[in-house]
């Protein structure tokens, strides 16, 4: 067990080092930072002085090490486009993305599990079949088209919900929240549905197939034979055993929600980190791109590590073979 | 074999020619299954129709949307099938703000979408099949390294990987070439984000094939490793590759549309379907619905039919479902 954990952590660190190298080479090789910082009127002496000052005359590994140390302390340099420290910009944008991700995650899990149970229990009903067909169409629609469709129906035609922005936000120290105002809450509805829909259908289909699997087993038949109510059988006995795979898949999908937030944020002009990243790509704002790359990798690697270790903790069978060679 | 078997083989009778290649293809199991599946026939027809329309776009399109001389700003915002108030011109699918015929831009846009999709899948297939064969046949640390990289890449969503590659590659391209290179950078980004599936499947199939007798026989007569991989193993692992390629094509088309929609893909000078949807979204509130609807519907038809074809192909080529 311990050997496995150590090996996994070690692997994760290597991944992060490689990602760091990619981010660092973007700085090193895309454009000359000295060119970017000095104006037209410069002498060779100015260039030399700035190179020494920035540490650009030092060998590559030393520079890389410094870059990693700075990144680990949250120092990613200054945005080329906005002229402010990248860490400040990201800290300012993060609450918007995290709130959006949290609401869509809750939507995906809540509705996904509920509909999954419903379609499994009423397997032959018309409503269940309709939901399954709709979910197929939902999976094949690209996220941005879903967003546009929702805007068209609910903002343009019905004029019920806002189509862009966060609404009014409240400052709570370093965190700005949209949860406390009415316009903030209303503004969350369409983006959360857009972002969570794919994960919702995924969770729904997973819960449904797991439920159908479990409902066939002997202990369920036995529970029914004991005269337990249908509700108790479905929720107390069956649902509990479907949740292990659901938890792990949901964990892995958490990262996807953050990644796909880029698309949703662009459609709804949501002032989050994803929109920041897309703008950074458009304007080749290297420090912002590098910072986003590092942050998202840390998040993905951490989520994967935790889910892998959770597997290990939940399923005793894995402990004997030790997965991965 | 399908249908009623002949009592005598055609070759026994000198007056009957052996069935032509076309005839044999028509009578094969595969073609029979295809004819029996309405979903497959319809989606293949839609794909063929759209691909042909894109190929012959310069012949079909009533206007050349990239020739400024043929544009008339007076034609801007003409609704579909309604004569323009000033010029009296009629456009099937209306025009955009600059008076470009939406139908023509869709035809040209589909060309870019399909070209990027095909090229990206080719690139992914080339990389994936090569490293998959190597990993499966050579084994050892080559295999460990390749599969570890594949595992790591698989933990990131493909669209995110494509975006990052696009961003990095764009950074490395000199500013003056960025718009010209955008299409190639896009192909590179989507191709590199999608090779893992190919590599995993080819490796798995190679592991099974390499212990079969024909491979041992080839080795015994002294054929070298590359020849065995390419001439003996590769033809036997191609059918799952074909399935993945079809499904990847649908994913690549959607990925391209998504990136272009986000403004980090095809440039406005060479608009793909995604770019057209991005442009159309700007007119959603002012009531010019046709600028958005027609490109979006085309993209959906394309992605959905390729997807359905891929699903059908997977079931048809799966020996376990026979």
């Amino acid at each position: 067990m311990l050997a496995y954990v150590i090996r996994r952590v070690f692997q994760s660190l290597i991944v992060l080092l490689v990602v760091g190298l990619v981010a660092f080479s973007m700085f090193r090789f895309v454009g000359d930072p000295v060119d970017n910082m000095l104006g037209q009127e410069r002498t060779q002496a100015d260039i030399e002085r700035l190179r020494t000052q920035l540490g650009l005359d030092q060998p590559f590994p030393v520079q890389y090490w410094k870059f990693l140390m700075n990144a680990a302390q949250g120092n990613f340099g200054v945005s080329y486009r906005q002229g402010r420290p990248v860490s400040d910009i990201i800290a300012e944008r993060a609450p918007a993305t995290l709130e959006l991700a949290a609401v869509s995650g809750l939507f995906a899990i809540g509705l996904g599990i509920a509909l999954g149970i419903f379609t499994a229990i009423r397997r032959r009903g018309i409503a269940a079949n309709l939901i399954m067909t709709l979910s197929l169409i939902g999976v094949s629609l690209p996220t941005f088209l879903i967003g546009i469709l929702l805007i068209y129906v609910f903002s343009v035609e019905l004029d019920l919900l806002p189509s862009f922005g966060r609404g009014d936000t409240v400052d709570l120290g370093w965190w700005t929240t949209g949860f406390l105002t009415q316009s903030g809450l209303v503004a969350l509805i369409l983006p959360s549905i857009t972002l969570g829909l794919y994960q919702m259908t995924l969770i729904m289909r997973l819960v449904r197939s797991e439920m159908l699997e479990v409902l066939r087993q002997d202990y369920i038949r036995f529970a029914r034979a004991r005269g337990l109510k249908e509700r108790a059988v479905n929720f107390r006995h069956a649902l509990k055993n479907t949740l292990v795979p659901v938890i792990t898949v949901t964990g892995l999908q958490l990262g996807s929600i953050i990644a796909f937030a880029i698309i949703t944020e662009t459609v709804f002009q949501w002032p989050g980190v994803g929109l920041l990243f897309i703008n950074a790509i458009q304007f080749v704002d290297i420090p912002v791109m590098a910072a986003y790359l590092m942050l998202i990798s840390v998040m993905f690697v951490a989520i994967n590590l935790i889910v892998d270790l959770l597997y290990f903790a939940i399923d005793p069978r894995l402990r004997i073979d030790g997965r991965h060679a | 074999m399908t249908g009623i078997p002949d009592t005598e083989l055609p070759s026994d009778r000198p007056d009957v020619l052996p069935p032509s290649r076309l005839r044999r293809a028509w009578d094969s199991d595969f073609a029979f299954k295809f004819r029996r599946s309405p979903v497959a026939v319809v989606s293949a027809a839609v794909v063929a129709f759209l691909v042909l329309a894109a190929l012959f776009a310069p012949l079909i399109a009533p206007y050349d949307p990239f020739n400024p001389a043929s544009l008339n700003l007076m034609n801007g915002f003409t609704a579909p099938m309604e004569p323009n108030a000033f010029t009296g011109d009629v456009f099937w699918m209306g025009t955009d703000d600059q008076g470009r015929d939406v139908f023509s831009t869709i035809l040209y846009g589909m060309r870019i979408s399909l070209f990027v999709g095909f090229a990206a899948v080719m690139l992914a297939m080339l990389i994936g099949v090569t490293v998959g064969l190597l990993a499966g046949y050579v084994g050892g640390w080559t295999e460990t390294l390749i599969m570890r990289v594949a595992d790591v890449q698989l933990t990131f969503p493909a669209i995110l990987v494509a975006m990052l590659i696009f961003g990095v590659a764009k950074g490395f391209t000199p500013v003056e070439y960025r718009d010209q290179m955008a299409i190639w950078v896009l192909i590179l980004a989507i191709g590199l984000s999608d090779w893992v599936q190919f590599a995993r499947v080819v490796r798995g199939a190679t592991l099974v094939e390499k212990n079969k007798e024909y491979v041992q026989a080839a080795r015994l007569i002294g054929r070298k490793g590359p020849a065995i991989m390419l001439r003996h193993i590769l033809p036997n692992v191609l059918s799952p590759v074909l399935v993945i390629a079809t499904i990847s094509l649908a994913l690549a088309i959607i990925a391209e549309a998504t990136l272009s929609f986000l403004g980090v893909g095809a440039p406005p000078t060479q608009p793909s379907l995604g770019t057209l949807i991005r442009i159309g979204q700007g007119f959603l509130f002012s009531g010019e619905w046709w600028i958005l609807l027609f490109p979006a519907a085309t993209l959906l038809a394309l992605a959905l039919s390729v997807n359905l074809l891929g699903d059908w192909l997977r079931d048809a080529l799966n020996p376990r479902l026979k």
Side-chain angles (χ1 to χ4, degrees):
Chain A
M1 172 80 193
L2 191 66
Y4 174 74
V5 173
I6 291 174
R7 197 164 62 217
R8 264 321 258 107
V9 172
F10 187 65
Q11 276 170 11
S12 308
L13 282 178
I14 290 183
V15 173
L16 288 182
L17 279 179
V18 172
V19 172
L21 194 63
V22 173
F24 175 65
S25 8
M26 288 178 8
F27 270 109
R28 256 312 285 233
F29 301 114
V30 180
D32 187 352
V34 177
D35 260 356
N36 285 332
M37 296 170 88
L38 286 177
Q40 283 295 318
E41 299 190 6
R42 61 196 172 194
T43 60
Q44 196 58 36
D46 284 339
I47 295 177
E48 289 305 320
R49 197 172 55 233
L50 192 64
R51 290 189 80 85
T52 326
Q53 199 185 330
L54 292 173
L56 290 176
D57 52 346
Q58 283 165 333
F60 186 87
V62 176
Q63 289 189 37
Y64 178 43
W65 178 250
K66 277 192 177 162
F67 170 82
L68 282 183
M69 284 299 103
N70 277 331
Q73 289 163 20
N75 180 4
F76 293 102
V78 176
S79 159
Y80 290 165
R81 195 162 154 251
Q82 305 192 26
R84 294 163 54 211
V86 175
S87 44
D88 289 3
I89 302 175
I90 288 185
E92 193 180 284
R93 297 277 197 126
T97 298
L98 290 176
E99 283 186 356
L100 175 63
V103 175
S104 16
L106 282 178
F107 161 74
I109 295 171
L111 201 61
I113 292 181
L115 286 180
I117 296 170
F118 177 78
T119 48
I121 296 175
R122 301 269 159 81
R123 188 154 43 113
R124 298 186 205 293
I126 297 168
N129 278 319
L130 192 70
I131 292 171
M132 290 304 288
T133 315
L134 280 180
S135 79
L136 250 185
I137 298 172
V139 169
S140 32
L141 273 174
T143 313
F144 67 95
L145 278 185
I146 295 176
I148 294 177
L149 191 71
L150 288 176
I151 290 181
Y152 182 71
V153 174
F154 292 100
S155 306
V156 180
E157 287 297 318
L158 300 175
D159 200 17
L160 282 176
L161 299 166
S163 64
F164 66 94
R166 281 184 87 188
D168 297 326
T169 53
V170 177
D171 269 328
L172 304 172
W174 50 273
W175 184 278
T176 56
T177 180
F179 287 153
L180 295 176
T181 61
Q182 204 203 339
S183 72
L185 287 174
V186 171
L188 267 166
I189 298 176
L190 289 186
S192 319
I193 294 178
T194 308
L195 183 53
L197 199 64
Y198 181 79
Q199 269 72 24
M200 195 273 277
T201 46
L202 205 72
I203 292 174
M204 180 189 100
R205 298 182 86 90
L206 184 71
V207 169
R208 177 178 178 271
S209 62
E210 289 289 326
M211 275 290 272
L212 289 178
E213 190 72 27
V214 170
L215 283 174
R216 267 204 295 269
Q217 307 226 336
D218 283 346
Y219 75 89
I220 297 293
R221 200 178 302 162
F222 183 62
R224 289 228 172 84
R226 273 158 67 202
L228 291 180
K229 288 212 177 62
E230 195 60 19
R231 228 171 118 134
V233 174
N234 285 336
F235 289 91
R236 300 261 308 270
H237 291 71
L239 182 62
K240 224 193 252 174
N241 279 297
T242 62
L243 285 184
V244 175
V246 174
I247 290 170
T248 48
V249 169
T250 312
L252 288 174
Q253 288 298 315
L254 211 67
S256 301
I257 284 197
I258 303 272
F260 280 101
I262 297 173
I263 301 168
T264 309
E265 284 178 12
T266 311
V267 176
F268 290 93
Q269 291 298 304
W270 191 262
V273 187
L275 193 58
L276 179 76
F277 175 63
I278 279 294
N279 291 333
I281 293 185
Q282 278 162 357
F283 294 95
V284 198
D285 193 345
I286 305 284
V288 176
M289 274 164 65
Y292 185 84
L293 176 62
M294 293 292 283
L295 273 183
I296 203 118
S297 320
V298 169
M299 203 154 60
F300 268 94
V301 168
I303 289 172
N304 269 287
L305 186 64
I306 292 170
V307 169
D308 260 16
L309 296 181
L310 258 182
Y311 254 161
F312 219 69
I314 293 172
D315 196 337
R317 280 168 299 184
L318 290 174
R319 280 173 226 162
I320 303 161
D321 337 321
R323 52 201 295 271
H324 295 302
Chain B
M1 290 299 281
T2 60
I4 306 151
D6 293 329
T7 43
E8 49 188 334
L9 289 170
S11 54
D12 296 342
R13 287 172 51 187
D15 55 319
V16 176
L17 288 169
S20 68
R21 220 166 235 270
L22 203 67
R23 184 77 224 168
R24 266 184 291 154
W26 177 258
D27 283 341
S28 68
D29 258 10
F30 185 72
F32 179 71
K33 273 193 205 162
F34 180 77
R35 289 197 300 272
R36 289 286 297 271
S37 159
V39 175
V41 173
V42 171
S43 47
V46 174
V47 173
F49 175 74
L50 291 175
V51 169
L52 286 178
L55 272 182
F56 295 109
L59 299 178
I60 303 169
Y63 300 88
D64 180 0
F66 303 109
N67 180 6
S70 77
L71 296 181
N72 184 352
L73 273 180
M74 299 290 272
N75 276 333
F77 297 130
T78 313
M81 300 306 290
E82 274 173 37
N84 182 279
F86 304 105
T87 60
D89 292 348
V90 179
F91 300 92
W92 289 3
M93 295 185 181
T95 60
D96 66 1
D97 53 336
Q98 299 173 33
R100 283 189 296 200
D101 176 36
V102 171
F103 178 60
S104 305
T105 54
I106 287 178
L107 285 177
Y108 280 93
M110 210 157 57
R111 276 188 124 176
I112 309 247
S113 290
L114 279 169
F115 174 67
V116 172
F118 272 115
V121 170
M122 285 295 152
L123 178 66
M125 198 156 77
L126 192 71
I127 301 172
V129 170
T130 312
V131 300
L133 274 175
L134 276 176
Y137 189 77
V138 179
W141 66 265
T142 320
E143 183 180 17
T144 313
L145 182 72
I146 291 172
M147 286 300 124
R148 190 60 70 223
V149 173
D151 279 351
V152 170
Q153 186 169 331
L154 211 59
T155 59
F156 294 87
I159 188 87
L160 186 68
V161 177
M163 262 181 229
L164 288 172
I165 297 173
F166 186 88
V168 173
K170 192 176 175 186
F172 283 113
T173 347
V175 181
E176 56 271 28
Y177 295 118
R178 266 179 200 159
D179 264 10
Q180 295 169 25
M181 296 292 290
I183 297 286
W184 300 102
V185 171
L186 202 53
I187 292 170
L188 183 78
I190 298 174
L192 281 182
S193 70
D194 204 35
W195 61 274
V196 178
Q197 292 297 340
F198 290 99
R200 287 168 76 106
V201 166
V202 170
R203 169 181 166 266
T206 307
L207 283 178
V208 175
E209 294 294 323
K210 83 168 176 189
N211 291 324
K212 290 196 176 162
E213 276 149 6
Y214 72 90
V215 175
Q216 290 176 355
R219 214 178 289 163
L220 210 62
I221 59 170
R223 298 214 75 171
K224 298 278 182 296
I228 295 178
M229 278 188 263
L230 288 179
R231 307 291 292 275
H232 298 264
I233 296 180
L234 184 61
N236 287 301
V237 300
L238 272 185
S239 81
V241 169
L242 186 66
V243 174
I244 296 177
T246 318
I247 294 171
S248 289
L249 180 63
L251 292 177
I253 289 172
I254 289 184
E256 186 279 328
T258 305
L259 289 179
S260 298
F261 172 77
L262 296 177
V264 292
T269 49
Q270 282 171 295
S272 73
L273 289 177
T275 323
L276 293 178
I277 295 173
R278 176 185 171 82
I279 296 170
Q281 197 205 2
F283 302 108
L284 192 56
F285 280 93
S286 47
E288 284 88 15
W289 50 269
W290 58 89
I291 306 176
L292 173 66
L293 178 75
F294 294 120
T298 314
L299 174 69
L300 264 189
L302 188 61
L304 202 64
S305 48
V306 175
N307 226 336
L308 287 173
L309 204 59
D311 274 357
W312 173 82
L313 208 59
R314 184 182 53 203
D315 294 345
L317 290 180
N318 189 344
R320 267 169 296 174
L321 289 178
K322 261 182 188 162

